[in-house]
Amino acid sequence: MRKTIIGVMGGGDANKKDIKLAYDLGALIAKEGWVLLNGGRSAGIMEASSKGCKEHGGITVGILPGRDSSSTSKYIDIQILTGMGDARNYINVLSSDVVIACKGGAGTISEIALALKNGKKVILLDFDIDDTFEEYRNSGLLLKAQSPEEAIKLTKNILSVSGVGN
Amino acid sequence: MRKTIIGVMGGGDANKKDIKLAYDLGALIAKEGWVLLNGGRSAGIMEASSKGCKEHGGITVGILPGRDSSSTSKYIDIQILTGMGDARNYINVLSSDVVIACKGGAGTISEIALALKNGKKVILLDFDIDDTFEEYRNSGLLLKAQSPEEAIKLTKNILSVSGVGN
Amino acid sequence: MRKTIIGVMGGGDANKKDIKLAYDLGALIAKEGWVLLNGGRSAGIMEASSKGCKEHGGITVGILPGRDSSSTSKYIDIQILTGMGDARNYINVLSSDVVIACKGGAGTISEIALALKNGKKVILLDFDIDDTFEEYRNSGLLLKAQSPEEAIKLTKNILSVSGVGN
Amino acid sequence: MRKTIIGVMGGGDANKKDIKLAYDLGALIAKEGWVLLNGGRSAGIMEASSKGCKEHGGITVGILPGRDSSSTSKYIDIQILTGMGDARNYINVLSSDVVIACKGGAGTISEIALALKNGKKVILLDFDIDDTFEEYRNSGLLLKAQSPEEAIKLTKNILSVSGVGN
């Protein structure tokens, strides 16, 4: 019964273009029947991807840094309160069957790094940071996509090989 | 859209009577439309409450201590992998709108203690450990129930006062 | 070169008698050449045990719940900032070769429970909560002392058997 | 009484040149009377920096990912067992007054990112990854050094401004 969980990482600050990408990505995740997991806050990529997912009938899980609901996006169905600050980034990536990283700052980079360190496949969506993780790009753990559609296609390939969610 | 989350704590080892109580509790949580959250492992109170919930159409969230799925109950829908061992007990209680504690050992007692310390209402279900937390029983944070039905009734009262899930 | 670490747990609120016990315990830990570890805050048993240790030439380690120094006792030498709230209680007990628990509330009880769950020996110092953990008292993991001197004697016995710090 | 803590990050795998840099850095930290904090394992930059510090009379603190001593470097004085895997990287950087990052892989990059995200000054020692964190380099939070001596000089400047350890 275990559901496939797709983690969407990305900045709390984001420009219009990236907000649109994240919204569209959330919508596509919903259409696939996957659960969308993110950092849960009502900001940037988190808010946009949750909104896109919810407005297309999906389920959203937010892994919050704090101990209460004050910063939680209204588009989060299942709110996990960790009370652990950015240590929760580790939980974000461990809990995701595949990690898709939109543009972001140091927080997002920490999630990409923790994911790769722990053997998770990461798809960079219009985020040119792959040179930093060259070793993982070469080994095939780090992939790139230019559109939400391409990210979904790559995710399907990964899931079909790993057997997650089947 | 945020769903009400009811945490069900209790031992990984449990006798037949407690397994039945946990199963029935899970079933009643499903019928109320609440999400059931527990420690996620395929053992004792965790397995039984997840099974009861799933077999009655509910949604289950498991907060796992490890980094992979090897010990996850097959009755868990949404698997959160923390990789943090028993530190995840803190997340269990913070994420629950109400905590219901079935019989258990030191792990369960740590969850009751962490919940009370952080201002969460705890309902003991046929678990006579309230003398240990006398201060919290006196302040009304710690309650007792003798049956799953009574635990659900108390939970409804708490939720109606706190406004969670409305 | 690894130093023996003795964890001292106990309430942030404490009465005069318990403050004195904690101070004396800290002093005796210093005299043995052990490192004292506690929750690091400038309150109750934490402050008193750190003060007793420092005023007798010992070394103190504080495992803080927050992200900055604002609540750290001035008697802490080595400040570990976890930013993880009460999840740090798990670190407190894992890092201690032996745990000595003075009187406390739910936070202290969570530490005793987490320690026993993880196979750590716990000595209750004038804290009558052993009935709650009867199983562990019977197995010899949970011990009782009436004075700091007795707690130190029990600690020595445990260390000599386990070989820690030798 | 609080001691100044300098965090030394870097890979578990390291080549001869980086091992030498880390050893020399540890030695210089000891000579300054600062405490050296790292990930505590008996590998790579961790082992080398701890060894350099201990062989020059310093104090070392290791923040371990596991629950026991099996992977702890013999050059660690104070062993903090977190049982939290790579979530401990967050503790490493929060607890450091200044973070010095030697060459490393994804784990080290996660620490640099978490440090910068949380407002910690980071000095890259012969590690050309500053383009990844351009925003922080521009704001002065991320600095570069070519030698252990230069890293120490930068650290002194930071400490004199922040007042830590005075």
Side-chain angles (χ1 to χ4, degrees):
Chain A
M1 294 167 184
R2 189 154 75 76
K3 293 185 191 304
T4 297
I5 296 180
I6 307 301
V8 176
M9 309 300 143
D13 287 322
N15 65 27
K16 267 196 179 174
K17 185 190 157 199
D18 295 325
I19 291 287
K20 168 121 180 51
L21 279 182
Y23 180 91
D24 290 346
L25 180 64
L28 291 172
I29 287 172
K31 286 177 190 168
E32 295 293 337
W34 300 328
V35 169
L36 185 152
L37 179 150
N38 62 28
R41 294 197 295 115
S42 57
I45 300 297
M46 292 174 273
E47 178 83 357
S49 60
S50 297
K51 189 180 179 189
C53 185
K54 285 313 298 171
E55 292 186 353
H56 293 80
I59 298 176
T60 53
V61 175
I63 311 289
L64 277 297
R67 305 194 317 143
D68 62 42
S69 305
S70 56
S71 67
T72 305
S73 164
K74 65 181 175 182
Y75 299 106
I76 289 295
D77 292 307
I78 295 173
Q79 171 191 255
I80 304 298
L81 295 171
T82 68
M84 292 185 181
D86 291 331
R88 70 87 149 80
N89 293 2
Y90 181 57
I91 302 175
N92 291 357
V93 299
L94 287 183
S95 300
S96 300
D97 292 309
V98 176
V99 171
I100 303 176
C102 302
K103 258 181 212 137
T108 304
I109 296 172
S110 78
E111 290 168 316
I112 296 168
L114 289 168
L116 295 172
K117 171 90 172 8
N118 286 277
K120 289 279 171 191
K121 292 242 180 180
V122 176
I123 300 167
L124 299 174
L125 175 50
D126 194 30
F127 188 15
D128 290 328
I129 199 176
D130 48 311
D131 285 348
T132 302
F133 300 101
E134 194 186 0
E135 167 195 351
Y136 296 95
R137 185 181 58 194
N138 294 343
S139 73
L141 211 57
L142 182 64
L143 305 168
K144 296 180 77 173
Q146 297 309 321
S147 68
E149 290 74 15
E150 191 186 351
I152 295 295
K153 198 176 158 188
L154 289 171
T155 302
K156 279 186 183 173
N157 288 346
I158 296 168
L159 294 175
S160 72
V161 172
S162 68
V164 174
N166 294 328
Chain B
M1 295 168 184
R2 189 155 75 75
K3 294 187 190 302
T4 298
I5 296 180
I6 307 301
V8 175
M9 310 300 143
D13 287 323
N15 65 27
K16 267 197 179 172
K17 186 190 156 198
D18 295 326
I19 291 286
K20 167 120 181 52
L21 279 182
Y23 179 92
D24 291 347
L25 180 64
L28 292 172
I29 287 172
K31 286 176 190 167
E32 295 293 336
W34 301 327
V35 170
L36 185 151
L37 178 150
N38 63 29
R41 293 196 296 115
S42 57
I45 299 297
M46 290 174 274
E47 177 83 357
S49 60
S50 297
K51 188 179 179 190
C53 185
K54 284 313 300 171
E55 292 186 351
H56 293 78
I59 297 175
T60 53
V61 176
I63 311 289
L64 278 297
R67 305 194 317 143
D68 63 44
S69 304
S70 56
S71 68
T72 305
S73 164
K74 65 180 176 184
Y75 299 106
I76 289 294
D77 292 306
I78 295 174
Q79 169 190 256
I80 305 298
L81 295 171
T82 69
M84 293 186 181
D86 291 331
R88 71 86 147 80
N89 293 2
Y90 181 58
I91 302 174
N92 292 357
V93 300
L94 287 184
S95 300
S96 300
D97 293 309
V98 176
V99 172
I100 303 176
C102 301
K103 258 180 211 137
T108 305
I109 296 171
S110 78
E111 290 169 316
I112 296 168
L114 288 169
L116 295 171
K117 171 90 172 6
N118 286 277
K120 289 280 169 189
K121 292 241 180 181
V122 176
I123 300 167
L124 299 173
L125 175 50
D126 195 30
F127 188 16
D128 290 328
I129 199 177
D130 49 311
D131 285 350
T132 302
F133 300 100
E134 193 185 2
E135 168 195 351
Y136 296 95
R137 184 180 59 194
N138 294 344
S139 73
L141 210 58
L142 182 65
L143 304 168
K144 298 180 74 172
Q146 297 308 320
S147 67
E149 290 75 14
E150 193 185 351
I152 295 294
K153 198 175 158 188
L154 289 171
T155 302
K156 279 185 183 175
N157 288 345
I158 295 168
L159 294 174
S160 71
V161 172
S162 67
V164 175
N166 292 326
Chain C
M1 294 170 185
R2 190 157 74 76
K3 294 185 190 303
T4 297
I5 296 180
I6 306 302
V8 175
M9 309 301 142
D13 286 324
N15 65 27
K16 268 196 179 174
K17 186 191 156 199
D18 295 326
I19 291 286
K20 168 125 180 47
L21 279 181
Y23 180 91
D24 290 347
L25 180 63
L28 291 172
I29 287 172
K31 287 176 190 169
E32 294 293 337
W34 301 328
V35 169
L36 185 152
L37 179 150
N38 63 29
R41 293 197 297 115
S42 57
I45 300 297
M46 292 174 273
E47 177 83 357
S49 60
S50 297
K51 189 179 179 190
C53 185
K54 284 314 299 170
E55 293 187 350
H56 294 78
I59 297 175
T60 54
V61 175
I63 311 290
L64 277 297
R67 306 193 316 143
D68 62 42
S69 304
S70 56
S71 68
T72 305
S73 165
K74 65 180 175 183
Y75 299 105
I76 289 295
D77 292 307
I78 295 174
Q79 170 190 257
I80 305 298
L81 295 171
T82 69
M84 293 186 180
D86 291 331
R88 69 89 147 81
N89 293 2
Y90 182 57
I91 302 174
N92 291 357
V93 300
L94 287 184
S95 301
S96 300
D97 293 308
V98 175
V99 172
I100 303 176
C102 301
K103 258 182 210 134
T108 305
I109 295 172
S110 78
E111 290 169 316
I112 295 168
L114 289 168
L116 294 171
K117 171 92 173 3
N118 286 278
K120 289 280 169 189
K121 292 240 180 181
V122 176
I123 299 167
L124 299 173
L125 174 50
D126 194 29
F127 188 16
D128 290 327
I129 198 176
D130 48 312
D131 285 349
T132 301
F133 300 100
E134 193 185 2
E135 169 195 351
Y136 296 96
R137 185 181 58 195
N138 293 344
S139 74
L141 211 58
L142 182 64
L143 305 168
K144 297 180 76 172
Q146 297 309 319
S147 68
E149 289 76 14
E150 193 185 350
I152 294 295
K153 198 176 157 187
L154 289 170
T155 301
K156 280 185 183 173
N157 288 346
I158 295 168
L159 294 175
S160 71
V161 172
S162 66
V164 174
N166 293 328
Chain D
M1 295 169 184
R2 190 156 76 75
K3 294 186 190 303
T4 297
I5 296 180
I6 307 302
V8 176
M9 310 300 142
D13 287 323
N15 65 27
K16 266 196 180 174
K17 184 191 158 200
D18 295 326
I19 291 285
K20 168 125 180 47
L21 279 182
Y23 180 91
D24 290 348
L25 180 64
L28 292 173
I29 288 172
K31 286 176 190 167
E32 295 293 336
W34 300 328
V35 169
L36 185 151
L37 179 150
N38 63 29
R41 294 198 295 116
S42 56
I45 300 296
M46 292 174 273
E47 178 82 357
S49 60
S50 297
K51 188 179 180 191
C53 185
K54 285 314 299 171
E55 293 186 350
H56 293 79
I59 298 176
T60 54
V61 175
I63 311 290
L64 277 297
R67 304 194 319 142
D68 63 42
S69 304
S70 56
S71 68
T72 304
S73 164
K74 65 181 175 181
Y75 299 105
I76 289 295
D77 292 307
I78 295 174
Q79 170 190 255
I80 305 299
L81 295 170
T82 69
M84 292 186 180
D86 291 331
R88 69 87 147 81
N89 294 2
Y90 182 57
I91 302 174
N92 292 358
V93 299
L94 286 184
S95 301
S96 300
D97 293 309
V98 176
V99 171
I100 303 176
C102 302
K103 258 182 211 135
T108 305
I109 295 172
S110 78
E111 290 169 315
I112 295 168
L114 289 168
L116 295 172
K117 171 89 171 7
N118 286 277
K120 288 281 170 189
K121 293 242 180 180
V122 176
I123 300 167
L124 299 173
L125 175 51
D126 194 30
F127 188 15
D128 289 329
I129 198 176
D130 49 312
D131 285 349
T132 302
F133 300 101
E134 192 185 3
E135 169 194 350
Y136 296 96
R137 185 182 57 194
N138 294 344
S139 73
L141 212 57
L142 182 64
L143 305 167
K144 298 181 74 172
Q146 297 309 321
S147 68
E149 289 75 14
E150 192 185 351
I152 294 294
K153 198 175 158 188
L154 289 171
T155 302
K156 279 185 183 174
N157 288 346
I158 296 168
L159 295 175
S160 71
V161 171
S162 67
V164 174
N166 293 327

